[in-house]
Amino acid sequence: MSEGSLAAPWWQRGVIYQIYPRSFADSNGDGIGDLAGIEAHLDHVANLGVDAIWLSPIFPSPMADFGYDVADYTGVEAMFGDLAAFDRLLAAVHVRGLRLLLDFVPNHSSTQHPWFVESRSSRDSPKRDWYIWRDPAPDGGPPNNWISDMGGPAWELDPATGQYYLHTFLKEQADLNWRNPDVAQAMTDVMRFWLDRGVDGFRIDVLWHIVKAQGLPDNPANPDWREGMAEKLRVLQHHSTDQPEAHAFTRGMRQLADSYGETLLVGEIFLPRDRLMRWYGSEAEPGVHLPFNFELIENSWNRDTLARLIADYDAAIPDHGWPNWVIGSHDAPRIAARVGEAQARVAAMLLLTLRGTPTLYQGDELGIGTVDIPPDRIRDPQDLRQPGMGLGRDRSRTPMAWDASPNAGFSTAVPWLPLHPDWPMRNVAVQEQDPHSMLALYRRLLAARRAHPALSLGRMTLHDTPGDVLAYERVHAGQRLFVALNFGPDAQDITPPARPGRIIAATGTRTAFDGRIDGDEGFIVELEP
């Protein structure tokens, strides 16, 4: 586990904060968040102590999948604002010393994108091969057995031209054909458009999907599939994802990003660890800077599981790579809903003290927990298409609560999704007045991370500890910090590797560390030389 240096790029030292624009703040009273709303609340983000903002898609879209169906890659959706509003936001972000990442969606476009409209117009269209079209199978059905990640066949018949087009997600999201060099060039031009405008990088949506196997063979059946599992899991996506040719396109994205300086590429790549690591590329031919690591979301929340995955993941990182961690996103159940509020405090300390770049999701700094979405308020197409499967993402996309005024200060109108039930007390204004709130904890942890390079750049050593306690050291430039986290309800006595000094941060109210760690408690302690 290598030790970094203060010359490390900003994204190795920094913390990313994800904003879901529909749900952050509404400036114009339509119940939907927008760019001006984000700009009005930038001080909240800056005061947290993060370094960069990642915006979920803001591009023109019919909103079949809430912006992940892009109809124009170089514009701004009217409900969010316009390019002038984006430029104002970007300038305001930079004035505060923050950086801005956009969500880049290269695998598919909206079927309302002019490219697809032209592609669909005729089999002889110059853009026909910009998308993946195939003749029906001999029985008239889909060309192969691929299943949409949203359920149902991954193919939609176009009666006018008699062919099917591929859609990995909704039928309104047609997959682009990255084997066509014109597509690769067009998407490079999109990235260049935003980089020239001043953005600091991209989170790249479903990057591992962008190339499909030649010939589009059937995917093998999944022998472990059982009733009650998501339909997409009926097959193993061996031929529809993670193709070797995708790495060449990723290297091209990286070369473009590097030509703009310290520009960050984060790849959404949901794969087993050994395959995930390939997306770092090699030292000579690097891939994305950070292939997203979902292991803290996807695994059980207990000491033994977490200790094992942390050690194994860190050991798997190539020498030229850098780890990253995330405990929540717009696609995943909120951490406080998963593990409860007490453990959500422990999770905050874990996220912000592990070796690697953390990504924090909006609202987790308030400890937003379970939000029940009434059937008539469900908006997520994944939930509507596969009801009762627990796949709904609305529960993670509910609006931010800013204060105790009507609609939590999010909007003057009824928000597009319900607020969390305890919003009158769980909001930014209330928590700012409480030194023991979740918001105060996140601010303390982020301040500690900024003040102590050992927490961002230091080498990490895991220690053997009893019971439910996970403990590790972070060491940098002569400073030794000891992190102890109790993932269980019972107190434990532990022995630090050296004499403990002052407490840097704690999840609770204790001000001294005597070797005892209470249930659901965490400490960052300075060790004496």
Side-chain angles (χ1 to χ4, degrees), residues 186-214:
M187 300 309 270
T188 299
D189 291 344
V190 167
M191 296 178 73
R192 193 181 301 278
F193 172 88
W194 292 107
L195 290 167
D196 285 344
R197 213 164 193 98
V199 303
D200 302 286
F202 301 93
R203 177 267 193 184
I204 308 172
D205 184 60
V206 297
L207 179 58
W208 83 110
H209 276 273
I210 65 170
V211 179
K212 282 69 176 173
Q214 288 279 21

Side-chain angles (χ1 to χ4, degrees), residues 1-19:
M1 300 182 183
S2 62
E3 185 170 354
S5 82
L6 289 174
W10 70 264
W11 48 268
Q12 290 187 2
R13 304 187 304 271
V15 177
I16 301 167
Y17 182 84
Q18 183 192 356
I19 289 179

Side-chain angles (χ1 to χ4, degrees), residues 162-444:
Q163 285 189 316
Y164 284 86
Y165 65 86
L166 180 67
H167 59 91
T168 296
F169 298 92
L170 296 174
K171 64 182 176 63
E172 294 86 357
Q173 296 167 287
D175 279 35
L176 286 152
N177 177 20
W178 273 77
R179 293 185 182 277
N180 183 325
D182 292 339
V183 170
Q185 183 59 55
M187 300 309 270
T188 299
D189 291 344
V190 167
M191 296 178 73
R192 193 181 301 278
F193 172 88
W194 292 107
L195 290 167
D196 285 344
R197 213 164 193 98
V199 303
D200 302 286
F202 301 93
R203 177 267 193 184
I204 308 172
D205 184 60
V206 297
L207 179 58
W208 83 110
H209 276 273
I210 65 170
V211 179
K212 282 69 176 173
Q214 288 279 21
L216 309 181
D218 280 355
N219 276 324
N222 180 0
D224 297 323
W225 188 85
R226 300 290 184 271
E227 288 291 340
M229 295 172 64
E231 187 178 3
K232 70 176 183 178
L233 300 177
R234 281 181 179 271
V235 296
L236 303 173
Q237 296 181 334
H238 286 181
H239 302 301
S240 52
T241 67
D242 197 28
Q243 299 303 300
E245 296 91 336
H247 294 276
F249 294 118
T250 304
R251 287 195 295 273
M253 294 178 192
R254 175 65 179 267
Q255 289 168 1
L256 176 64
D258 287 349
S259 73
Y260 282 80
E262 284 191 347
T263 301
L264 175 63
L265 297 183
V266 180
E268 185 193 21
I269 303 158
F270 190 82
L271 290 170
R273 187 185 299 132
D274 60 333
R275 293 162 64 190
L276 179 71
M277 295 301 154
R278 300 173 195 166
W279 289 85
Y280 281 105
S282 66
E283 193 162 8
E285 296 183 318
V288 292
H289 300 87
L290 302 176
F292 241 145
N293 168 24
F294 295 99
E295 294 197 31
L296 294 180
I297 292 176
E298 295 298 319
N299 283 278
S300 300
W301 195 259
N302 60 73
R303 193 284 302 267
D304 291 346
T305 298
L306 295 174
R308 182 173 61 252
L309 75 83
I310 289 166
D312 292 348
Y313 171 79
D314 199 76
I317 300 291
D319 289 343
H320 66 281
W322 183 253
N324 67 96
W325 300 95
V326 58
I327 58 173
S329 79
H330 65 289
D331 286 333
R334 285 197 175 275
I335 185 65
R338 286 179 55 211
V339 304
E341 176 146 0
Q343 276 296 305
R345 297 175 74 88
V346 174
M349 183 170 283
L350 177 71
L351 176 70
L352 295 172
T353 58
L354 287 173
R355 190 179 83 98
T357 301
T359 297
L360 168 63
Y361 181 53
Q362 69 172 55
D364 282 351
E365 75 269 30
L366 302 180
I368 296 175
T370 301
V371 186
D372 293 323
I373 309 295
D376 64 338
R377 298 292 305 275
I378 292 173
R379 299 292 180 264
D380 180 15
Q382 182 165 267
D383 200 10
L384 292 169
R385 287 168 63 91
Q386 300 178 82
M389 298 287 293
L391 302 175
R393 299 167 295 178
D394 289 336
R395 57 194 171 180
S396 303
R397 301 173 176 184
T398 57
M400 277 287 285
W402 295 102
D403 54 42
S405 66
N407 302 317
F410 167 77
S411 175
T412 57
V414 175
W416 75 287
L417 280 176
L419 291 154
H420 47 284
D422 55 349
W423 67 265
M425 294 303 298
R426 191 178 298 280
N427 62 63
V428 172
V430 168
Q431 292 203 12
E432 281 185 327
Q433 303 305 312
D434 179 1
H436 307 303
S437 68
M438 187 74 80
L439 177 59
L441 173 63
Y442 267 97
R443 287 177 172 174
R444 288 197 303 274

